[in-house]
Coordinates of all heavy atoms in Angstrom, one line a residue:
M1 N -220.0 -64.5 153.1 CA -218.6 -64.1 153.1 C -217.9 -65.0 154.1 O -218.3 -65.1 155.2 CB -218.4 -62.7 153.4 CG -216.9 -62.2 153.4 SD -216.7 -60.5 153.9 CE -217.7 -59.6 152.7
M2 N -216.8 -65.6 153.7 CA -216.0 -66.5 154.5 C -214.5 -66.1 154.5 O -214.0 -66.0 153.4 CB -216.2 -68.0 154.1 CG -215.2 -69.0 154.7 SD -215.5 -69.3 156.5 CE -217.0 -70.3 156.3
F3 N -213.9 -66.0 155.6 CA -212.5 -65.7 155.6 C -211.7 -67.0 155.8 O -212.2 -67.9 156.5 CB -212.2 -64.7 156.8 CG -212.7 -63.4 156.5 CD1 -214.0 -63.0 156.9 CD2 -211.9 -62.4 156.0 CE1 -214.5 -61.8 156.7 CE2 -212.4 -61.1 155.7 CZ -213.7 -60.8 156.1
I4 N -210.5 -67.1 155.3 CA -209.6 -68.2 155.4 C -208.3 -67.7 155.9 O -207.7 -66.7 155.4 CB -209.4 -69.0 154.1 CG1 -210.8 -69.5 153.6 CG2 -208.4 -70.1 154.3 CD1 -210.8 -70.1 152.2
V5 N -207.8 -68.3 157.0 CA -206.6 -67.9 157.6 C -205.6 -69.1 157.7 O -206.0 -70.1 158.3 CB -206.8 -67.3 159.0 CG1 -205.5 -66.9 159.7 CG2 -207.8 -66.1 159.0
Y6 N -204.5 -68.9 157.2 CA -203.4 -69.9 157.3 C -202.4 -69.4 158.4 O -202.0 -68.2 158.2 CB -202.7 -70.2 156.0 CG -203.5 -70.9 155.0 CD1 -204.3 -70.3 154.1 CD2 -203.4 -72.3 154.9 CE1 -205.0 -71.0 153.2 CE2 -204.1 -73.1 154.0 CZ -204.9 -72.4 153.1 OH -205.7 -73.1 152.2
G7 N -202.1 -70.1 159.4 CA -201.3 -69.6 160.4 C -200.6 -70.8 161.1 O -200.5 -71.9 160.6
G8 N -200.0 -70.4 162.3 CA -199.3 -71.4 163.1 C -199.6 -71.2 164.6 O -200.0 -70.1 165.0
E9 N -199.5 -72.3 165.3 CA -199.9 -72.4 166.7 C -199.2 -71.3 167.6 O -199.8 -70.7 168.5 CB -199.6 -73.8 167.3 CG -200.0 -73.9 168.7 CD -199.8 -75.3 169.2 OE1 -199.7 -76.3 168.4 OE2 -199.6 -75.5 170.4
K10 N -197.9 -71.1 167.4 CA -197.1 -70.2 168.2 C -197.0 -68.8 167.6 O -196.1 -68.1 168.1 CB -195.8 -70.8 168.5 CG -195.9 -72.1 169.3 CD -194.5 -72.7 169.6 CE -194.8 -74.0 170.3 NZ -193.5 -74.7 170.7
C11 N -197.8 -68.5 166.7 CA -197.7 -67.2 166.0 C -198.7 -66.2 166.7 O -199.9 -66.4 166.6 CB -198.1 -67.4 164.5 SG -198.4 -65.9 163.6
S12 N -198.2 -65.1 167.3 CA -199.0 -64.2 168.0 C -199.9 -63.4 167.0 O -201.1 -63.1 167.4 CB -198.2 -63.2 168.8 OG -197.4 -62.4 168.0
Y13 N -199.5 -63.1 165.8 CA -200.3 -62.4 164.9 C -201.4 -63.3 164.3 O -202.5 -62.8 164.0 CB -199.5 -61.8 163.7 CG -198.7 -60.6 164.2 CD1 -197.4 -60.6 164.5 CD2 -199.4 -59.4 164.3 CE1 -196.7 -59.5 164.9 CE2 -198.7 -58.2 164.8 CZ -197.4 -58.3 165.1 OH -196.7 -57.2 165.5
C14 N -201.2 -64.6 164.3 CA -202.2 -65.5 163.9 C -203.3 -65.6 164.9 O -204.5 -65.5 164.6 CB -201.6 -66.9 163.7 SG -200.3 -67.0 162.4
T15 N -202.9 -65.6 166.2 CA -203.9 -65.5 167.3 C -204.7 -64.2 167.2 O -205.9 -64.2 167.4 CB -203.2 -65.7 168.6 OG1 -202.5 -66.9 168.6 CG2 -204.2 -65.6 169.8
K16 N -204.0 -63.1 166.9 CA -204.7 -61.8 166.8 C -205.7 -61.8 165.7 O -206.7 -61.2 165.8 CB -203.7 -60.7 166.7 CG -202.9 -60.4 167.9 CD -201.8 -59.3 167.7 CE -201.0 -59.1 168.9 NZ -200.1 -58.0 168.8
A17 N -205.3 -62.4 164.6 CA -206.2 -62.5 163.4 C -207.5 -63.2 163.8 O -208.6 -62.8 163.4 CB -205.5 -63.1 162.2
K18 N -207.3 -64.4 164.4 CA -208.5 -65.2 164.8 C -209.4 -64.4 165.8 O -210.6 -64.3 165.7 CB -208.1 -66.5 165.5 CG -207.5 -67.4 164.5 CD -207.3 -68.8 165.0 CE -206.3 -68.9 166.2 NZ -206.1 -70.2 166.7
M19 N -208.7 -63.7 166.8 CA -209.4 -62.9 167.8 C -210.2 -61.7 167.1 O -211.3 -61.4 167.4 CB -208.5 -62.3 168.8 CG -207.9 -63.4 169.8 SD -206.7 -62.8 170.9 CE -207.5 -61.4 171.7
L20 N -209.6 -61.1 166.1 CA -210.2 -60.0 165.4 C -211.5 -60.5 164.6 O -212.5 -59.9 164.7 CB -209.2 -59.4 164.4 CG -209.8 -58.3 163.5 CD1 -210.3 -57.1 164.3 CD2 -208.7 -57.8 162.6
L21 N -211.3 -61.6 164.0 CA -212.5 -62.2 163.2 C -213.6 -62.6 164.2 O -214.7 -62.4 163.9 CB -212.0 -63.4 162.4 CG -211.1 -63.0 161.2 CD1 -210.5 -64.2 160.5 CD2 -211.9 -62.2 160.1
D22 N -213.2 -63.2 165.4 CA -214.2 -63.5 166.4 C -214.9 -62.3 166.9 O -216.1 -62.3 167.0 CB -213.5 -64.3 167.5 CG -213.1 -65.7 167.2 OD1 -213.8 -66.3 166.3 OD2 -212.2 -66.2 167.9
M23 N -214.1 -61.3 167.2 CA -214.7 -60.0 167.7 C -215.7 -59.4 166.7 O -216.7 -58.8 167.1 CB -213.6 -59.0 168.1 CG -212.9 -59.4 169.4 SD -211.5 -58.3 169.8 CE -211.8 -56.8 169.0
R24 N -215.4 -59.5 165.5 CA -216.2 -58.9 164.4 C -217.3 -59.9 164.0 O -218.1 -59.6 163.1 CB -215.4 -58.5 163.2 CG -214.3 -57.4 163.5 CD -214.8 -56.1 164.0 NE -215.4 -55.2 163.1 CZ -214.9 -54.6 162.0 NH1 -213.6 -54.8 161.7 NH2 -215.6 -53.8 161.3
E25 N -217.3 -61.1 164.6 CA -218.3 -62.1 164.3 C -218.3 -62.5 162.9 O -219.4 -62.6 162.2 CB -219.7 -61.7 164.8 CG -219.8 -61.4 166.3 CD -221.1 -61.1 166.8 OE1 -222.1 -60.8 166.0 OE2 -221.3 -61.1 168.1
K26 N -217.1 -62.7 162.3 CA -217.0 -63.1 160.9 C -216.8 -64.6 160.9 O -216.1 -65.2 161.7 CB -215.8 -62.4 160.3 CG -215.9 -60.9 160.3 CD -217.0 -60.4 159.4 CE -217.0 -58.9 159.3 NZ -218.1 -58.4 158.5
D27 N -217.4 -65.2 159.9 CA -217.1 -66.7 159.7 C -215.8 -66.8 159.1 O -215.3 -66.1 158.2 CB -218.2 -67.2 158.7 CG -219.6 -67.3 159.3 OD1 -219.7 -67.4 160.5 OD2 -220.5 -67.1 158.5
Y28 N -215.0 -67.8 159.6 CA -213.7 -68.1 159.0 C -213.3 -69.6 159.3 O -213.8 -70.2 160.2 CB -212.6 -67.2 159.6 CG -212.3 -67.4 161.1 CD1 -211.2 -68.2 161.5 CD2 -213.0 -66.8 162.1 CE1 -210.9 -68.4 162.8 CE2 -212.7 -66.9 163.4 CZ -211.7 -67.7 163.8 OH -211.4 -67.9 165.1
Q29 N -212.4 -70.0 158.5 CA -211.7 -71.3 158.6 C -210.2 -71.0 158.9 O -209.6 -70.1 158.3 CB -211.8 -72.1 157.4 CG -213.2 -72.6 157.1 CD -213.2 -73.5 155.8 OE1 -212.8 -73.0 154.8 NE2 -213.6 -74.7 156.0
Y30 N -209.7 -71.7 159.9 CA -208.3 -71.5 160.3 C -207.6 -72.8 160.0 O -208.0 -73.9 160.4 CB -208.2 -71.2 161.8 CG -206.8 -71.0 162.2 CD1 -206.1 -69.8 162.0 CD2 -206.1 -72.0 162.8 CE1 -204.8 -69.6 162.4 CE2 -204.8 -71.9 163.2 CZ -204.1 -70.7 163.0 OH -202.8 -70.5 163.4
F31 N -206.4 -72.7 159.3 CA -205.6 -73.9 159.0 C -204.2 -73.7 159.6 O -203.5 -72.7 159.2 CB -205.5 -74.1 157.5 CG -206.9 -74.4 156.9 CD1 -207.5 -73.4 156.1 CD2 -207.5 -75.6 157.0 CE1 -208.7 -73.6 155.6 CE2 -208.7 -75.8 156.5 CZ -209.3 -74.9 155.7
D32 N -203.7 -74.6 160.4 CA -202.4 -74.5 161.0 C -201.5 -75.1 159.9 O -201.7 -76.3 159.5 CB -202.3 -75.3 162.3 CG -200.9 -75.2 162.9 OD1 -199.9 -75.3 162.3 OD2 -200.9 -75.0 164.2
I33 N -200.5 -74.3 159.4 CA -199.7 -74.8 158.3 C -198.8 -76.0 158.6 O -198.3 -76.6 157.7 CB -198.8 -73.6 157.7 CG1 -197.8 -73.2 158.8 CG2 -199.6 -72.5 157.2 CD1 -196.7 -72.2 158.3
Y34 N -198.7 -76.3 159.9 CA -197.9 -77.5 160.2 C -198.7 -78.8 160.3 O -198.2 -79.9 160.5 CB -197.2 -77.2 161.6 CG -196.3 -76.0 161.5 CD1 -196.7 -74.8 162.1 CD2 -195.2 -76.0 160.7 CE1 -195.9 -73.7 162.0 CE2 -194.4 -74.8 160.6 CZ -194.8 -73.7 161.2 OH -194.0 -72.5 161.1
D35 N -200.0 -78.7 160.2 CA -200.9 -79.8 160.3 C -201.1 -80.5 158.9 O -200.9 -79.8 157.9 CB -202.3 -79.5 160.8 CG -202.3 -79.1 162.3 OD1 -201.3 -79.5 163.0 OD2 -203.3 -78.5 162.8
Q36 N -201.4 -81.7 158.9 CA -201.7 -82.5 157.7 C -203.1 -82.1 157.2 O -204.1 -82.0 158.0 CB -201.7 -84.0 157.9 CG -200.3 -84.5 158.1 CD -199.5 -84.6 156.8 OE1 -199.9 -84.3 155.7 NE2 -198.2 -84.9 157.0
C37 N -203.2 -81.9 155.9 CA -204.5 -81.7 155.2 C -205.3 -83.0 155.2 O -204.7 -84.1 155.1 CB -204.2 -81.2 153.8 SG -205.5 -80.6 152.9
N38 N -206.6 -82.9 155.4 CA -207.4 -84.1 155.5 C -208.0 -84.7 154.2 O -209.1 -85.1 154.2 CB -208.5 -83.9 156.5 CG -208.0 -83.7 157.9 OD1 -207.1 -84.3 158.4 ND2 -208.6 -82.7 158.7
G39 N -207.3 -84.5 153.1 CA -207.8 -85.1 151.9 C -208.8 -84.2 151.2 O -208.9 -83.0 151.4
A40 N -209.7 -84.9 150.5 CA -210.7 -84.2 149.6 C -211.6 -83.2 150.4 O -212.0 -82.2 149.9 CB -211.5 -85.2 148.8
E41 N -211.9 -83.6 151.6 CA -212.8 -82.7 152.4 C -212.2 -81.3 152.7 O -212.9 -80.4 153.0 CB -213.2 -83.4 153.7 CG -212.1 -83.6 154.7 CD -212.5 -84.5 155.8 OE1 -213.0 -85.6 155.6 OE2 -212.3 -84.1 157.0
D42 N -210.8 -81.3 152.6 CA -210.1 -80.0 152.8 C -209.5 -79.5 151.6 O -208.7 -78.6 151.6 CB -209.0 -80.2 153.9 CG -209.5 -80.3 155.3 OD1 -210.6 -79.8 155.5 OD2 -208.8 -80.9 156.1
G43 N -210.0 -80.0 150.4 CA -209.5 -79.5 149.1 C -208.1 -80.0 148.7 O -207.5 -79.5 147.9
C44 N -207.7 -81.2 149.3 CA -206.4 -81.8 149.0 C -206.6 -83.1 148.3 O -207.4 -83.9 148.7 CB -205.6 -82.1 150.3 SG -205.2 -80.6 151.2
E45 N -205.9 -83.3 147.2 CA -206.0 -84.5 146.4 C -205.1 -85.6 147.0 O -205.3 -86.8 146.9 CB -205.7 -84.3 145.0 CG -206.7 -83.4 144.3 CD -206.4 -83.1 142.8 OE1 -205.5 -83.8 142.3 OE2 -207.0 -82.2 142.3
T46 N -204.0 -85.1 147.6 CA -203.0 -86.1 148.2 C -202.7 -85.6 149.6 O -202.9 -84.4 149.9 CB -201.7 -86.2 147.4 OG1 -201.2 -84.9 147.3 CG2 -202.0 -86.7 146.0
P47 N -202.2 -86.4 150.5 CA -201.8 -86.0 151.8 C -200.7 -84.9 151.8 O -199.7 -85.1 151.2 CB -201.3 -87.2 152.5 CG -201.9 -88.4 151.7 CD -202.0 -87.9 150.3
L48 N -201.1 -83.7 152.2 CA -200.1 -82.6 152.2 C -200.3 -81.9 153.6 O -201.2 -82.1 154.3 CB -200.5 -81.6 151.2 CG -200.6 -82.0 149.7 CD1 -201.2 -80.9 148.9 CD2 -199.2 -82.2 149.2
T49 N -199.3 -81.0 153.9 CA -199.5 -80.1 155.0 C -200.3 -78.9 154.5 O -200.4 -78.7 153.3 CB -198.2 -79.6 155.6 OG1 -197.5 -78.9 154.6 CG2 -197.4 -80.8 156.1
Y50 N -200.9 -78.2 155.4 CA -201.6 -77.0 155.0 C -200.7 -75.9 154.4 O -201.0 -75.1 153.6 CB -202.5 -76.4 156.1 CG -203.7 -77.2 156.4 CD1 -203.8 -78.0 157.6 CD2 -204.7 -77.3 155.5 CE1 -204.9 -78.8 157.8 CE2 -205.8 -78.1 155.7 CZ -205.9 -78.8 156.9 OH -207.0 -79.6 157.1
R51 N -199.4 -76.0 154.8 CA -198.4 -75.1 154.2 C -198.3 -75.4 152.7 O -198.2 -74.5 151.9 CB -197.0 -75.4 154.9 CG -195.9 -74.6 154.3 CD -194.6 -75.0 155.0 NE -193.4 -74.3 154.5 CZ -192.7 -74.7 153.5 NH1 -192.9 -75.9 153.0 NH2 -191.7 -74.1 153.1
D52 N -198.2 -76.7 152.3 CA -198.2 -77.1 150.9 C -199.4 -76.5 150.2 O -199.4 -76.0 149.1 CB -198.1 -78.6 150.7 CG -196.9 -79.2 151.3 OD1 -195.8 -78.5 151.3 OD2 -196.9 -80.3 151.8
Q53 N -200.6 -76.7 150.8 CA -201.9 -76.2 150.3 C -201.8 -74.7 150.1 O -202.2 -74.2 149.0 CB -203.0 -76.6 151.2 CG -204.4 -76.2 150.6 CD -205.5 -76.5 151.5 OE1 -205.4 -76.1 152.7 NE2 -206.5 -77.2 151.1
L54 N -201.3 -74.0 151.1 CA -201.1 -72.5 151.0 C -200.2 -72.1 149.8 O -200.6 -71.2 149.0 CB -200.6 -71.9 152.3 CG -200.2 -70.5 152.2 CD1 -201.4 -69.6 151.9 CD2 -199.6 -70.1 153.6
F55 N -199.1 -72.8 149.7 CA -198.1 -72.5 148.6 C -198.8 -72.7 147.2 O -198.6 -71.9 146.3 CB -196.9 -73.3 148.7 CG -195.9 -72.7 149.8 CD1 -196.3 -71.7 150.7 CD2 -194.6 -73.2 149.9 CE1 -195.4 -71.2 151.6 CE2 -193.8 -72.7 150.8 CZ -194.2 -71.8 151.7
T56 N -199.5 -73.8 147.1 CA -200.2 -74.1 145.8 C -201.2 -73.1 145.5 O -201.3 -72.6 144.4 CB -200.8 -75.5 145.9 OG1 -199.8 -76.5 146.1 CG2 -201.6 -75.8 144.6
L57 N -202.0 -72.7 146.5 CA -203.0 -71.6 146.3 C -202.4 -70.3 145.9 O -202.9 -69.7 145.0 CB -203.8 -71.4 147.7 CG -204.8 -70.3 147.7 CD1 -205.9 -70.6 146.7 CD2 -205.4 -70.2 149.1
M58 N -201.3 -69.9 146.5 CA -200.6 -68.7 146.2 C -200.1 -68.7 144.8 O -200.2 -67.8 144.0 CB -199.5 -68.4 147.2 CG -199.9 -68.2 148.6 SD -200.7 -66.7 149.0 CE -199.3 -65.6 149.1
Q59 N -199.5 -69.8 144.4 CA -199.0 -70.0 143.0 C -200.1 -69.9 142.0 O -200.0 -69.3 141.0 CB -198.2 -71.3 142.9 CG -196.9 -71.3 143.6 CD -196.1 -72.6 143.6 OE1 -196.7 -73.6 143.5 NE2 -194.8 -72.5 143.5
D60 N -201.2 -70.6 142.3 CA -202.4 -70.6 141.4 C -203.0 -69.2 141.2 O -203.5 -68.9 140.2 CB -203.5 -71.6 141.9 CG -203.1 -73.0 141.8 OD1 -202.1 -73.3 141.1 OD2 -203.8 -73.9 142.3
M61 N -202.8 -68.4 142.3 CA -203.4 -67.0 142.2 C -202.3 -66.0 141.6 O -202.6 -64.8 141.5 CB -203.8 -66.5 143.6 CG -205.0 -67.3 144.1 SD -205.5 -66.8 145.8 CE -206.5 -65.3 145.4
G62 N -201.1 -66.6 141.2 CA -200.1 -65.7 140.7 C -199.4 -64.8 141.7 O -198.9 -63.8 141.4
L63 N -199.4 -65.3 143.0 CA -198.9 -64.5 144.0 C -197.5 -65.0 144.5 O -197.3 -66.3 144.3 CB -199.8 -64.5 145.3 CG -201.2 -63.9 145.0 CD1 -202.1 -64.2 146.2 CD2 -201.1 -62.4 144.9
P64 N -196.6 -64.2 145.0 CA -195.3 -64.7 145.5 C -195.6 -65.6 146.7 O -196.5 -65.4 147.5 CB -194.5 -63.5 145.8 CG -195.5 -62.4 146.0 CD -196.7 -62.8 145.1
L65 N -194.7 -66.6 146.9 CA -194.8 -67.4 148.1 C -194.6 -66.6 149.4 O -193.8 -65.7 149.4 CB -193.8 -68.5 148.1 CG -193.9 -69.5 146.9 CD1 -192.9 -70.6 147.0 CD2 -195.3 -70.2 147.0
P66 N -195.4 -66.8 150.4 CA -195.4 -66.0 151.6 C -194.1 -66.3 152.4 O -193.6 -67.4 152.4 CB -196.6 -66.4 152.3 CG -196.9 -67.8 151.9 CD -196.5 -67.9 150.5
R67 N -193.7 -65.3 153.1 CA -192.5 -65.5 154.0 C -192.9 -65.3 155.5 O -192.1 -65.4 156.3 CB -191.5 -64.4 153.7 CG -190.9 -64.6 152.3 CD -189.8 -63.7 152.0 NE -190.3 -62.4 151.8 CZ -189.6 -61.3 151.6 NH1 -188.3 -61.3 151.7 NH2 -190.2 -60.1 151.4
S68 N -194.2 -65.1 155.7 CA -194.7 -64.9 157.1 C -196.1 -65.4 157.2 O -196.8 -65.6 156.2 CB -194.6 -63.5 157.5 OG -195.4 -62.7 156.7
I69 N -196.6 -65.6 158.4 CA -198.0 -65.9 158.7 C -198.5 -64.9 159.7 O -197.7 -64.3 160.4 CB -198.1 -67.4 159.2 CG1 -197.1 -67.7 160.3 CG2 -198.0 -68.4 158.1 CD1 -197.2 -69.0 160.9
P70 N -199.8 -64.7 159.7 CA -200.8 -65.4 159.0 C -200.9 -64.9 157.5 O -200.4 -63.8 157.2 CB -202.1 -65.0 159.7 CG -201.8 -63.6 160.2 CD -200.3 -63.6 160.6
Q71 N -201.6 -65.7 156.7 CA -201.9 -65.4 155.4 C -203.4 -65.5 155.3 O -204.0 -66.5 155.6 CB -201.3 -66.3 154.3 CG -199.8 -66.1 154.3 CD -199.4 -64.7 153.8 OE1 -199.9 -64.2 152.8 NE2 -198.4 -64.1 154.5
C72 N -204.1 -64.4 154.9 CA -205.6 -64.3 155.0 C -206.2 -64.1 153.6 O -205.6 -63.4 152.8 CB -205.9 -63.1 155.9 SG -205.2 -63.1 157.5
F73 N -207.3 -64.7 153.5 CA -208.1 -64.7 152.2 C -209.5 -64.4 152.6 O -209.9 -64.7 153.7 CB -208.0 -66.0 151.4 CG -206.6 -66.4 151.0 CD1 -205.7 -67.0 151.9 CD2 -206.1 -66.1 149.8 CE1 -204.5 -67.4 151.6 CE2 -204.8 -66.5 149.4 CZ -204.0 -67.1 150.3
V74 N -210.3 -64.0 151.6 CA -211.8 -63.9 151.8 C -212.4 -64.5 150.6 O -211.9 -64.4 149.4 CB -212.3 -62.4 152.0 CG1 -212.0 -61.6 150.8 CG2 -213.7 -62.4 152.4
V75 N -213.5 -65.3 150.8 CA -214.3 -65.9 149.7 C -215.6 -65.2 149.8 O -216.3 -65.2 150.8 CB -214.4 -67.4 149.9 CG1 -215.3 -68.0 148.8 CG2 -213.1 -68.1 150.0
N76 N -215.9 -64.5 148.7 CA -217.2 -63.8 148.6 C -217.8 -64.1 147.2 O -217.2 -63.9 146.2 CB -216.9 -62.3 148.7 CG -218.1 -61.5 149.0 OD1 -219.2 -62.0 149.3 ND2 -218.0 -60.2 148.9
N77 N -219.1 -64.6 147.3 CA -219.8 -65.0 146.1 C -219.0 -66.0 145.2 O -218.9 -65.9 144.0 CB -220.2 -63.8 145.2 CG -221.2 -62.9 145.9 OD1 -222.0 -63.4 146.7 ND2 -221.0 -61.6 145.8
G78 N -218.3 -66.9 145.9 CA -217.5 -68.0 145.2 C -216.2 -67.5 144.7 O -215.4 -68.3 144.1
E79 N -215.8 -66.3 144.9 CA -214.5 -65.7 144.4 C -213.6 -65.6 145.6 O -213.9 -64.9 146.6 CB -214.7 -64.4 143.7 CG -215.5 -64.5 142.4 CD -214.8 -65.2 141.3 OE1 -213.6 -65.0 141.2 OE2 -215.5 -65.9 140.6
M80 N -212.4 -66.1 145.4 CA -211.4 -66.0 146.5 C -210.5 -64.8 146.2 O -210.0 -64.6 145.1 CB -210.5 -67.2 146.6 CG -209.5 -67.1 147.8 SD -208.6 -68.6 148.0 CE -209.8 -69.6 148.9
E81 N -210.3 -64.0 147.2 CA -209.4 -62.8 147.1 C -208.4 -62.8 148.2 O -208.6 -63.2 149.4 CB -210.3 -61.5 147.3 CG -209.5 -60.2 147.3 CD -210.4 -59.0 147.7 OE1 -211.7 -59.2 147.7 OE2 -209.9 -58.0 147.9
Y82 N -207.1 -62.5 147.8 CA -206.0 -62.5 148.8 C -206.1 -61.2 149.6 O -206.2 -60.1 149.0 CB -204.7 -62.6 148.0 CG -203.5 -62.5 148.9 CD1 -203.2 -63.5 149.9 CD2 -202.6 -61.5 148.8 CE1 -202.1 -63.4 150.7 CE2 -201.5 -61.4 149.6 CZ -201.2 -62.4 150.5 OH -200.1 -62.3 151.3
I83 N -206.0 -61.3 150.9 CA -206.0 -60.1 151.7 C -204.5 -59.7 152.1 O -204.1 -58.6 152.0 CB -206.8 -60.2 153.0 CG1 -208.3 -60.4 152.6 CG2 -206.7 -59.1 153.9 CD1 -209.2 -60.8 153.7
G84 N -203.8 -60.7 152.7 CA -202.4 -60.5 153.1 C -202.3 -61.0 154.6 O -202.9 -61.9 155.0
G85 N -201.5 -60.3 155.3 CA -201.2 -60.6 156.7 C -202.1 -59.9 157.7 O -203.2 -59.4 157.3
F86 N -201.8 -59.9 158.9 CA -202.7 -59.4 160.0 C -203.0 -57.9 159.8 O -204.1 -57.5 159.9 CB -202.0 -59.6 161.4 CG -202.8 -59.0 162.5 CD1 -204.1 -59.5 162.8 CD2 -202.3 -57.9 163.2 CE1 -204.8 -58.9 163.8 CE2 -203.1 -57.3 164.2 CZ -204.3 -57.8 164.5
D87 N -202.0 -57.1 159.5 CA -202.2 -55.7 159.3 C -203.2 -55.5 158.1 O -204.0 -54.6 158.1 CB -200.9 -54.9 159.1 CG -200.1 -54.8 160.4 OD1 -200.7 -54.9 161.5 OD2 -198.9 -54.6 160.3
N88 N -203.0 -56.3 157.0 CA -203.9 -56.1 155.9 C -205.3 -56.6 156.2 O -206.3 -56.0 155.7 CB -203.4 -57.0 154.7 CG -202.0 -56.7 154.3 OD1 -201.0 -57.4 154.6 ND2 -201.8 -55.5 153.7
L89 N -205.4 -57.6 157.1 CA -206.8 -58.0 157.5 C -207.4 -56.9 158.3 O -208.6 -56.6 158.1 CB -206.7 -59.3 158.4 CG -208.0 -59.8 159.0 CD1 -208.9 -60.2 157.9 CD2 -207.7 -61.0 159.9
K90 N -206.7 -56.3 159.2 CA -207.2 -55.2 160.0 C -207.7 -54.0 159.1 O -208.8 -53.5 159.3 CB -206.2 -54.6 161.0 CG -206.0 -55.4 162.2 CD -205.0 -54.8 163.2 CE -204.5 -53.4 163.0 NZ -203.5 -53.0 164.0
E91 N -206.9 -53.7 158.1 CA -207.3 -52.7 157.1 C -208.5 -53.1 156.3 O -209.5 -52.3 156.1 CB -206.1 -52.4 156.2 CG -206.4 -51.3 155.2 CD -205.2 -51.0 154.3 OE1 -204.0 -51.1 154.8 OE2 -205.4 -50.8 153.1
Y92 N -208.6 -54.3 155.9 CA -209.7 -54.9 155.1 C -211.0 -54.7 155.9 O -212.1 -54.4 155.4 CB -209.5 -56.3 154.7 CG -210.5 -56.9 153.8 CD1 -210.4 -56.8 152.5 CD2 -211.7 -57.6 154.4 CE1 -211.4 -57.3 151.6 CE2 -212.6 -58.1 153.5 CZ -212.5 -58.0 152.2 OH -213.5 -58.5 151.4
L93 N -210.9 -55.0 157.3 CA -212.1 -54.9 158.1 C -212.4 -53.5 158.7 O -213.3 -53.3 159.5 CB -211.9 -55.9 159.3 CG -211.9 -57.4 158.9 CD1 -211.5 -58.2 160.1 CD2 -213.2 -57.8 158.3
G94 N -211.6 -52.6 158.2 CA -211.8 -51.2 158.6 C -211.3 -50.9 160.0 O -211.9 -50.0 160.7
E95 N -210.3 -51.6 160.5 CA -209.8 -51.3 161.9 C -208.8 -50.2 161.8 O -208.0 -50.1 160.9 CB -209.1 -52.6 162.4 CG -210.1 -53.7 162.8 CD -210.9 -53.4 164.1 OE1 -210.2 -53.1 165.1 OE2 -212.1 -53.6 164.1

């Protein structure tokens, strides 16, 4: 099981999401939505920001575009599931 968190450097809830995953010793990848995506190794075909990657992912999953960060996902047995924001992540982890 791998968690994916899209967030931003100055976002307190993004920091809390990372701290919660660290405390629970969960594997996760964190992407700052303001950084550039590093091409194919990060799942990008063209140079994009992680914000663009997040929006594409949300659209592909049939979800509305997010208005806040963090945005959290979990990949389990190759299937990606949308969790939501920090409060949703806490609920998902049984906090």
Side-chain angles (χ1 to χ4, degrees):
M1 180 181 306
M2 169 70 74
F3 291 86
I4 299 172
V5 179
Y6 287 89
E9 182 180 334
K10 296 180 181 181
C11 166
S12 63
Y13 284 102
C14 301
T15 301
K16 289 178 182 183
K18 293 189 297 183
M19 289 173 57
L20 176 61
L21 291 168
D22 285 336
M23 286 176 23
R24 299 299 286 293
E25 298 182 349
K26 301 292 184 183
D27 291 329
Y28 69 94
Q29 291 181 300
Y30 180 82
F31 300 104
D32 188 314
I33 63 170
Y34 303 108
D35 288 344
Q36 288 286 352
C37 193
N38 294 321
E41 66 191 53
D42 286 336
C44 296
E45 295 178 13
T46 58
L48 301 169
T49 63
Y50 287 109
R51 177 182 177 270
D52 297 325
Q53 184 185 49
L54 171 62
F55 282 11
T56 299
L57 176 61
M58 299 285 285
Q59 287 175 329
D60 289 349
M61 294 179 82
L63 298 167
L65 295 180
R67 294 184 288 174
S68 63
I69 49 177
Q71 292 296 312
C72 306
F73 300 82
V74 63
V75 179
N76 197 7
N77 296 323
E79 296 290 322
M80 183 176 283
E81 177 185 347
Y82 177 65
I83 296 173
F86 174 68
D87 290 335
N88 303 105
L89 177 63
K90 281 183 10 182
E91 184 178 321
Y92 185 89
L93 294 172
E95 289 283 311

